[in-house]
Amino acid sequence: MLFGIAWDTSSGWAFAASILPILLIGMWVTIQATVLGFFIALVVGLVWAALKAAPLKIISWPAAVVTEFLRDTPLLIQLFFLYYVLPEFGITLPAFMTGALALGLQYSAYTSEVYRAGIEAVAKGQHEAARALNLSGGRTFTHIILPQAIPRIIPAMGNYLVSIMKDVPLLSVVTVLEMLNVARIIGDRTFNYLIPLSMVGGIYLIMTLVASTGVRFVDRALPKRGIPLK
């Protein structure tokens, strides 16, 4: 029994049917961790991209060092650091929030490069036109450059969304009951690992296919042409 739900081990199909509701609870945790981690990666990645694009080295250099550190160190180490080391400094976060934060920070280093590539792909004439209209740097970035950069980076961002989803099982090391951890617990208690792990693999396949299809739909729906200045 897990989450108050008992399972039937009388036959393979009955066992699979009885553990499906439990795995779906774990799937919901996986989806929540994926969405929150991806949101953090999008927001923090944009901050890193803006800081690294700053003309002052005192701003751009530290941002580049931090993103390089995040990108070049294993996610598992960052996860352990947030979960075990931060409490020593009086900062204690729930396991789920710690896991989502670790995912978001790790992938923010990658999304920052995606943002940078998208921003650099915007025609230089857009910057010059904005200066000719006497627009401020901040308004140029938020109203002119960024709206044109985002449609170009949707496919790359979608790839990182799927990658974050597939990295969520690492959160089991800090006791997050995501889908794979639930399947492992079921296997430990029933000595039947084949069925729960196979079901998790199938559910992950469906989830990644749905996410990839959604990303392609958004990519086709957004225009790729430049946005005219009014």
Side-chain angles (χ1 to χ4, degrees):
M1 178 178 292
L2 189 62
F3 299 125
I5 303 174
W7 45 70
D8 183 359
T9 58
S10 59
S11 66
W13 288 110
F15 179 54
S18 64
I19 66 174
L20 181 59
I22 307 173
L23 293 179
L24 292 180
I25 295 174
M27 183 189 74
W28 176 238
V29 174
T30 298
I31 293 174
Q32 289 178 307
T34 300
V35 172
L36 182 55
F38 187 58
F39 175 77
I40 294 172
L42 290 179
V43 174
V44 179
L46 181 59
V47 173
W48 294 139
L51 292 177
K52 289 193 291 185
L56 296 177
K57 295 296 183 181
I58 195 173
I59 297 177
S60 61
W61 187 81
V65 171
V66 172
T67 54
E68 193 68 25
F69 173 81
L70 291 173
R71 186 166 53 244
D72 294 341
T73 54
L75 173 59
L76 198 57
I77 292 179
Q78 297 173 19
L79 184 59
F80 279 164
F81 184 90
L82 292 175
Y83 191 72
Y84 293 109
V85 177
L86 285 187
E88 297 181 6
F89 296 92
I91 304 175
T92 303
L93 299 174
F96 176 83
M97 184 58 65
T98 300
L101 182 60
L103 287 170
L105 290 177
Q106 165 91 170
Y107 279 91
S108 69
Y110 298 101
T111 58
S112 69
E113 289 301 306
V114 176
Y115 280 122
R116 180 189 59 79
I119 291 170
E120 291 181 353
V122 177
K124 297 298 182 183
Q126 297 293 314
H127 297 267
E128 296 170 358
R131 283 196 295 269
L133 292 175
N134 200 29
L135 294 179
S136 65
R139 190 174 182 188
T140 299
F141 182 75
T142 58
H143 289 72
I144 305 300
I145 305 305
L146 197 58
Q148 295 183 64
I150 287 178
R152 294 176 167 90
I153 64 177
I154 292 298
M157 290 299 189
N159 290 336
Y160 287 125
L161 171 63
V162 174
S163 295
I164 289 175
M165 182 183 297
K166 292 189 292 186
D167 276 345
V168 169
L170 288 175
L171 307 191
S172 63
V173 300
V174 292
T175 71
V176 175
L177 285 175
E178 48 72 43
M179 188 163 51
L180 185 60
N181 196 18
V182 169
R184 182 190 61 79
I185 293 173
I186 294 173
D188 290 343
R189 296 184 182 181
T190 63
F191 302 103
N192 185 340
Y193 292 93
L194 176 61
I195 292 177
L197 291 179
S198 298
M199 292 176 67
V200 167
I203 294 173
Y204 258 111
L205 178 61
I206 294 172
M207 291 170 60
T208 54
L209 288 175
V210 170
S212 299
T213 301
V215 169
R216 285 194 293 270
F217 174 79
V218 173
D219 183 44
R220 289 194 298 267
L222 291 178
K224 303 298 189 299
R225 293 177 299 177
I227 300 175
L229 288 171
K230 294 183 180 180

